[in-house]
Amino acid sequence: MPGHAGTGGRDVIFAWEQCKLGDVAEIVGGGTPSTKKSEYWNGNINWFSPAEIGNQIFVSHSQKQITELGLMKSSAKILPAGTILFTSRAGIGNTAILTRNACTNQGFQSIVPYSNKLDSYFIYSESAKLKRYGETMGSGSTFTEVSGKQMKKMSLHIPNINEQAKIGNMLKILDQTITLHEEKKRQLERLKSALLQKMFADKSGYPVVRFKEFCDEWQGTKLRKISKIVRGASPRPISDPKWFDNDSNVGWLRISDVTSQDGRIHHLKQHISKQGQAKTRVISEPHLLLSIAATVGKPLINYVKIGVHDGFLIFIEPQFDLEFMFQWLEMFRPQWSKYGQPGSQINLNSDLVKNQIIYLPSREEQNQIGIFLNQIDSLINLHQQKINNINSVKKSLLQKMFI
């Protein structure tokens, strides 16, 4: 392998070697038993299909298992732990690492690294390059597929096996950290979903879960009785550039902004001009809003000054805790669908919202519920920020550490 030695006792530095994937790994296709005989199935050999290879890094248990006889009656081979499963059809380029012996159906061209030449996690970390190559080389009249021969010809630049292992281990640690935060985020989201169903009272007047210092019955009322509810307004035609000004301190809230910040509006891409402000409703921060078009029923709170599109309702002069109502609307969001007709867009007009009945506790209990649920939201966002940050670090490393 080409390279040069450092001086003064330094480690030897080697250039990365160019090779073909087939020089450092065996490419193994899968197979399916020729018939559906019962004796071929429900055995103890894991048998993967492309649909099972998604966002997970490691896989060990498949949805279907075949018997040794079933394996013999197919072109599949047993793949060892450390194999990179690579989908060669039905969505080319999805990858995962096997953690135990298994086989696959014909939708794979799996990469079995030669242990002294290729590190499993190192080549797995090249998934994006593998996918691009597979999609470029794929062919076929019935469906697109990349063959084993084509996979073997893929050009790689790789360091020696020790450097591969160190790079692979570092990226593995990053992936494991991302997975940890993703799981914690999912757990918090499940907790939040359960609490939303249990911390708000229905017509019985009593929630299932509440803080121990509160015991009074919640009182029913209509939303119009506890807030003035008005609709936003949009200048027309909305495409006219005179309505917008990048130097304006008033943001322009559009339907497309609904989900991008998950209901907490801290910044907006577009800003509305003085002329535009005269044609819309401008509100200071914070206000509670509700989307009534496109992403129907999504609540929002603005933390910047904004002009409001006519696809939103604004709750003016609220007689409730803002955070409590934001969380209640989040809980109630699926219920707005009952106002829609099958196959048609939901018709969520102002009167439907104004006349919706809600059960409210004391202002003090509202405040505590709002604070508690907001704290869970903050934890969810914290884990998402960590995921984003680590992904950014990983992306940078992948761009700089691979040839």
Side-chain angles (χ1 to χ4, degrees), residues 135-368:
E135 290 175 338
T136 301
M137 297 305 294
S139 61
S141 57
T142 305
F143 51 80
T144 305
E145 181 177 16
V146 59
S147 70
K149 287 183 179 180
Q150 290 168 326
M151 289 298 296
K152 289 179 181 180
K153 294 177 182 178
M154 179 180 174
S155 180
L156 295 174
H157 284 86
I158 60 173
N160 64 56
I161 190 65
N162 292 329
E163 187 175 352
Q164 287 182 48
K166 288 181 179 180
I167 293 172
N169 188 57
M170 180 182 62
L171 294 171
K172 181 179 179 180
I173 291 171
L174 290 177
D175 283 337
Q176 288 173 333
T177 307
I178 292 169
T179 300
L180 177 65
H181 285 298
E182 286 174 338
E183 179 55 30
K184 288 182 176 179
K185 181 189 173 191
R186 282 192 292 269
Q187 289 175 357
L188 286 167
E189 287 172 337
R190 288 193 291 266
L191 173 63
K192 169 80 182 294
S193 179
L195 288 172
L196 285 177
Q197 300 305 313
K198 295 181 178 181
M199 293 192 73
F200 295 100
D202 56 16
K203 59 185 179 181
S204 71
Y206 294 93
V208 176
V209 174
R210 70 194 307 187
F211 296 103
K212 62 181 180 180
E213 61 266 37
F214 301 106
C215 59
D216 292 341
E217 182 179 357
W218 292 25
Q219 301 302 310
T221 186
K222 292 184 177 181
L223 286 174
R224 61 182 171 81
K225 293 186 178 181
I226 53 175
S227 179
K228 179 182 178 182
I229 301 173
V230 299
R231 188 169 182 172
S234 299
R236 294 286 189 267
I238 197 65
S239 58
D240 194 326
K242 72 181 179 183
W243 306 130
F244 305 101
D245 179 3
N246 289 335
D247 295 325
S248 170
N249 68 339
V250 180
W252 173 238
L253 181 66
R254 302 164 298 167
I255 298 299
S256 58
D257 296 305
V258 171
T259 57
S260 61
Q261 298 176 61
D262 199 26
R264 311 278 183 175
I265 307 301
H266 292 278
H267 54 83
L268 293 167
K269 290 182 178 180
Q270 273 194 312
H271 290 77
I272 195 160
S273 66
K274 292 276 188 180
Q275 285 179 287
Q277 291 172 37
K279 299 289 186 179
T280 186
R281 289 187 185 272
V282 177
I283 57 174
S284 59
E285 64 281 5
H287 276 78
L288 178 68
L289 301 95
L290 185 70
S291 171
I292 58 172
T295 307
V296 173
K298 177 67 178 175
L300 304 94
I301 296 178
N302 67 301
Y303 299 95
V304 291
K305 195 173 183 180
I306 60 173
V308 183
H309 186 284
D310 58 12
F312 298 92
L313 296 180
I314 312 165
F315 292 77
I316 308 292
E317 301 172 2
Q319 299 173 40
F320 50 73
D321 179 84
L322 210 63
E323 187 64 35
F324 171 89
M325 187 60 71
F326 174 87
Q327 300 291 351
W328 184 88
L329 287 169
E330 192 66 55
M331 177 276 298
F332 193 78
R333 184 177 170 187
Q335 301 302 315
W336 297 117
S337 62
K338 66 186 179 183
Y339 296 115
Q341 298 297 321
S344 66
Q345 186 173 344
I346 298 171
N347 180 20
L348 193 57
N349 60 40
S350 301
D351 288 337
L352 289 172
V353 176
K354 290 175 182 178
N355 290 311
Q356 178 58 50
I357 295 174
I358 179 175
Y359 292 85
L360 292 176
S362 67
R363 193 64 176 264
E364 184 182 0
E365 189 172 359
Q366 289 180 43
N367 181 256
Q368 288 207 29

Side-chain angles (χ1 to χ4, degrees), residues 367-379:
N367 181 256
Q368 288 207 29
I369 291 170
I371 290 173
F372 176 69
L373 293 174
N374 179 256
Q375 287 173 339
I376 297 178
D377 284 344
S378 296
L379 287 173

